[in-house]
Amino acid sequence: MSAGTVAETVGAVLASLGVDIAFGVVGSGNFHVTNALVAHGVRFVAARHEGGAATMADAHARMTGRVGVLSVHQGPGLTNALTGVTEAAKSRTPLVVLAGEVTAPRSNFFVDQAALAAAVGAVPMRVGSAPDAAALTAEAFRAARDGRRTVLLNLPLEVQALAVSGPSGAGGRETGPAGAAGSAEAGGSAGLAGRTGEARPLPAGPDPVEAARLAEILAGVRRPVFVAGRGARTARRELEDLADLTGALLATSAVAKGLFRGSPWDLDVSGGFASPLAAELIRDADVVVGWGCALNMWTTRHGTLVGPDAVVVQVDLDPEALGAHRPVDLGVTGDVARTARAVADLLGDGAAARPVPGAPAGERGGTRAVPGEAGTRAGPGRAGYRSEALALRIAREVRWRDVPYADESGDGRIDPRTLTIALDDLLPAERVVCPDSGNFMGYPAMFMDVPDEGGFCFTQAFQSIGLGLATAIGAALARPDRLAVAALGDGGALMGVSELETVVRLGLRMVVVVYDDEAYGAEVHHFGPDGHPLDTVVFPPADIAGIARGFGFEAVTVRAPGDLAAVARWLDGPRERPLLVHARVTRARGAWWLEEAFRGH
């Protein structure tokens, strides 16, 4: 790789490491580094707002499993992107944020960008000199990839223009993602090691003692349930093999929805979106194992889905995640697939019936004794929770659309359940559903099926509205073989409305569904029952379909099920333009799952 400026080197190194797409909004501070990416074959996707660009990069990384790249201007470019960057950081999305930076405190653009990154959980780094440019860029990439972190690589303007002498390839210095000389922020320590927000390689594990304790627990229980999270999205086969050995039922967190689609033991999502049958079965489990899953209040429905006597186990690649949201009886550090294989091997050869190395007599790796018969061995094909009768119940009752409800459509408004079920029937099975946050968000999550774990993109760790449309753009670019479906509330749709132009400009044939109750519905249903004034959270009607047509969409307004015929016509046609479905939904009551969530506030 030929030498050039620092900006050119950064772009060249990222391209050499396999980056083939980047998102952003170009200003003077990131003009040269973005052009360097393009010059080395990286596709640049220009968004209309940095917040949208950040979320597009986040969603694309989630859908591909590859490191995302975001390019933004200094100062306001970064602050505009900050909500999307926060979402990525909280979700442990591997993302490199390239940001121009001014270092003169009197500049209008000056802000402590490193402090901003650290405040939201991202890892701040800075290219401080020309000789270190290639190595630090590679280090930032590895920190994102190996540590599953969002990394801000600050590029001071005066440094970007410096000449880099000699080869500027990624292999200039093979350092780990933490602690290399020159990676510290100005005025900071000599490296990242030991600092808050440190990025470091995560162990593959599992520890043999912890794996043996988990095998012993699973050997001694009768009603196990596995809950798989984002960290388990590539481990379906291993988890199903272990579940077959133990008779476990299978559920997911919302971000891993679809992982076990097609299995007769799939309970779909655990937590606030769980169907009544799924909630009943999870609540009756004698052991709940979270695989790459935070087991937070949403996944456990504020703890109510975990029975009082259930043993709780958590398996995660990051030891700091174990027990972070609730106490666990056993935490196992390790890669989900490797851990599941190790435990299955122990159960298969009877090792779980033997004493656990290093464990006191009678201890089962937790704070209380494990239910079941001590020493009971789980042989191949153990029934566990499974029975023919239960399989029939799951097939008939586990989907939300099979739960009876009173259709409240009327007076020019459609029940969001009726709307979503109809769309579920109309839209092709090969889809990626991308919900925004808000009062409506449970409907697409609960009433739309997805083909697999790649069919649901849920950027909800920060619970910000306005990210859904950008999420769908990133997902659509990552999975062009599937129809991207953005599911938005009217508030979030109007927050991110500028990205409708991005959809049209990129030629994306997606469907955008807007659940319009003419309000910030979550606040209406949170505060309204107590008699608080709601003038600040309700709005006059907006012609969202007309707005979409102005950007170049086809659009239809839906007030009753019959209006969805226009959606069917679009699906049957050439789909030359994206489609926006403006649904005037009923608004007399809030979503029941949201009412439950409010009890935790």
Side-chain angles (χ1 to χ4, degrees), residues 545-598:
I547 293 170
R549 292 188 191 100
F551 279 105
F553 271 68
E554 291 188 36
V556 56
T557 298
V558 175
R559 299 177 181 275
D563 296 331
L564 288 164
V567 177
R569 289 193 295 271
W570 182 87
L571 290 167
D572 291 339
R575 307 184 194 178
E576 293 177 347
R577 295 187 293 169
L579 175 69
L580 184 136
V581 179
H582 179 200
R584 304 278 190 178
V585 297
T586 55
R587 53 188 181 178
R589 67 185 71 193
W592 73 266
W593 65 268
L594 193 63
E595 294 173 358
E596 185 172 80
F598 287 152

Side-chain angles (χ1 to χ4, degrees), residues 438-439 465 519-529 532 534 537 594 598:
N439 178 59
I465 71 170
Y520 291 141
E523 283 66 39
V524 167
H525 299 294
H526 191 176
F527 298 106
H532 294 291
L534 300 174
V537 291
L594 193 63
F598 287 152

Side-chain angles (χ1 to χ4, degrees), residues 159-572:
V159 175
Q160 286 190 48
L162 296 177
V164 175
S165 60
S168 58
R173 184 170 61 163
E174 189 61 31
T175 61
S183 65
E185 298 298 333
S189 62
L192 290 172
R195 290 177 23 194
T196 301
E198 173 187 346
R200 63 194 183 286
L202 298 173
D207 178 271
V209 173
E210 293 173 349
R213 289 179 177 176
L214 176 53
E216 186 180 25
I217 287 173
L218 291 174
V221 296
R222 295 185 176 88
R223 298 184 307 282
V225 168
F226 292 173
V227 181
R230 185 178 175 189
R233 293 179 74 219
T234 60
R236 172 172 177 162
R237 183 183 66 182
E238 291 82 0
L239 291 177
E240 285 191 322
D241 287 346
L242 182 58
D244 288 344
L245 276 175
T246 60
L249 303 183
L250 301 164
T252 71
S253 66
V255 292
K257 178 180 171 68
L259 178 62
F260 300 114
R261 184 66 71 244
S263 167
W265 311 110
D266 178 21
L267 303 181
D268 201 36
V269 176
S270 173
F273 300 155
S275 69
L277 177 60
E280 171 192 328
L281 295 172
I282 297 168
R283 192 175 287 119
D284 287 345
D286 51 13
V287 62
V288 174
V289 184
W291 298 90
C293 173
L295 294 177
N296 59 27
M297 66 179 182
W298 307 111
T299 303
T300 65
R301 199 176 284 181
H302 297 282
T304 63
L305 287 188
V306 180
D309 297 320
V311 171
V312 178
V313 180
Q314 189 178 2
V315 180
D316 202 283
L317 199 58
D318 184 1
E320 293 182 4
L322 302 176
H325 291 276
R326 59 153 299 135
V328 296
D329 297 288
L330 173 65
V332 180
T333 301
D335 172 77
V336 167
R338 294 187 186 186
T339 301
R341 281 197 300 268
V343 175
D345 289 344
L346 289 171
L347 291 172
D349 67 12
R354 299 194 292 270
V356 179
E363 183 177 316
R364 295 292 192 268
T367 58
R368 57 180 181 275
V370 176
E373 298 177 7
T376 299
R377 182 169 170 269
R382 176 181 171 196
Y385 218 154
R386 303 178 180 186
S387 69
E388 184 176 343
L390 182 56
L392 288 172
R393 280 197 73 195
I394 291 173
R396 293 171 181 167
E397 303 175 34
V398 83
R399 294 198 307 168
W400 266 105
R401 60 179 297 158
D402 296 325
V403 178
Y405 71 94
D407 189 340
E408 298 177 357
S409 302
D411 297 326
R413 292 191 172 272
I414 187 169
D415 189 309
R417 295 165 293 188
T418 303
L419 167 73
T420 313
I421 291 170
L423 289 171
D424 187 48
D425 290 337
L426 283 171
L427 298 175
E430 289 296 311
R431 64 183 70 153
V432 184
V433 179
C434 306
D436 203 351
S437 192
N439 178 59
F440 76 94
M441 63 185 280
Y443 299 113
M446 295 188 294
F447 291 96
M448 278 192 186
D449 285 335
V450 294
D452 52 36
E453 73 282 0
F456 197 69
C457 194
F458 199 60
T459 48
Q460 294 287 339
F462 197 33
Q463 286 187 265
S464 172
I465 71 170
L467 306 186
L469 179 58
T471 296
I473 294 171
L477 291 167
R479 295 300 306 264
D481 56 318
R482 293 184 171 180
L483 179 68
V485 182
L488 320 174
D490 54 307
L494 293 172
M495 274 191 184
V497 70
S498 63
E499 303 304 347
L500 291 176
E501 188 278 335
T502 305
V503 175
V504 174
R505 172 166 38 88
L506 296 177
L508 301 177
R509 305 297 185 254
M510 69 166 59
V511 173
V512 177
V513 184
V514 180
Y515 294 73
D516 183 9
D517 61 0
E518 297 168 8
Y520 291 141
E523 283 66 39
V524 167
H525 299 294
H526 191 176
F527 298 106
D530 294 326
H532 294 291
L534 300 174
D535 293 348
T536 56
V537 291
V538 297
F539 301 92
D543 184 3
I544 296 176
I547 293 170
R549 292 188 191 100
F551 279 105
F553 271 68
E554 291 188 36
V556 56
T557 298
V558 175
R559 299 177 181 275
D563 296 331
L564 288 164
V567 177
R569 289 193 295 271
W570 182 87
L571 290 167
D572 291 339

